């Protein structure tokens, strides 16, 4: 089965010219991977790439919601995936119930939600403590939805490479992530689980070779085309 490599560009790069250049440097077609790039929403209409994703969305279709972007608008730009519940959004107030509404709105227009979980976990927690946090997040965020259409990304907040106050410069082990992914699949009936947090060309293979890890959500390393292409080209 093909594994996913999803690039989360976050608030990068600074202008459209660099965004187009970055997108055109990424290997879009590979035999054994599905490659998705998630640029800032403002660049989505101008970037050419086989499979596009968004970094977040709102749950209403239209109306007086200043600054928001709807799943329907994303769909009109041929967006196929949308990250929701990223820890950097949760840190600024995104709640499980908002995320649940976003997932429902995305499924309505047939965009695949990539639900990030792992905010509120810490490096010192035992597997069962981590599972307790994730259980609550997944249950509330997917309430009333068809879970077979949702991808979950396990992103322990402390393992994210930079830019958040919880970053520890540590990375989760592939064994821990495999165990958590297997739990998410069995307990919540989720079919695809990705890992995200400090992935680079050197460690990608150790995660991708795990049976229950169906791909990677890559932040910092996705901004460096040579590094990101190596991740895409990882042999399995
Ligand atoms: P990172 O980010 O790869 O830079 O750790 C991952 C993410 O935040 O999605």
């Amino acid at each position: 089965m093909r594994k996913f490599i999803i690039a989360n560009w976050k608030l990068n790069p600074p202008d459209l010219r660099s965004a187009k250049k970055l997108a055109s440097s990424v290997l879009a077609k590979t035999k054994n991977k599905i490659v998705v790039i998630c640029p800032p929403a403002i660049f989505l209409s101008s970037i050419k790439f086989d499979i596009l994703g968004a970094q977040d969305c709102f749950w209403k279709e239209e109306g007086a919601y200043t600054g928001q972007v709807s799943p329907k608008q994303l769909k009109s730009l041929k967006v196929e995936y949308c990250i929701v519940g990223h820890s950097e959004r949760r840190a600024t107030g995104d709640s499980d119930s908002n995320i649940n509404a976003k997932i429902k709105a995305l499924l309505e227009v047939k965009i695949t939600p990539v639900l990030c979980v792992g905010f509120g976990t810490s490096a010192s927690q035992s597997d069962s403590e981590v599972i307790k946090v994730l259980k609550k997040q997944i249950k509330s965020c997917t309430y009333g939805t068809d879970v077979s259409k949702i991808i979950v990304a396990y992103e322990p907040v402390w393992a994210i490479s930079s830019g958040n106050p919880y970053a520890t410069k540590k990375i989760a082990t592939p064994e821990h992530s495999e165990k958590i992914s297997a739990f998410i699949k069995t307990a919540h009936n989720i079919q695809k689980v990705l890992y995200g947090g400090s992935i680079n060309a050197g460690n990608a293979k150790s995660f991708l070779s795990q049976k229950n890890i169906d791909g990677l959500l890559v932040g910092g390393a996705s901004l460096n085309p040579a590094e990101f292409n190596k991740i895409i080209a990882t042999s399995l």
Side-chain angles (χ1 to χ4, degrees), residues 8 10 86 88 155 159-161 197-199 217-220:
N8 177 12
K10 308 189 181 186
H86 192 280
E88 286 148 22
E155 289 213 318
I160 290 176
S161 68
S198 297
I199 286 294
L217 182 54
V218 187

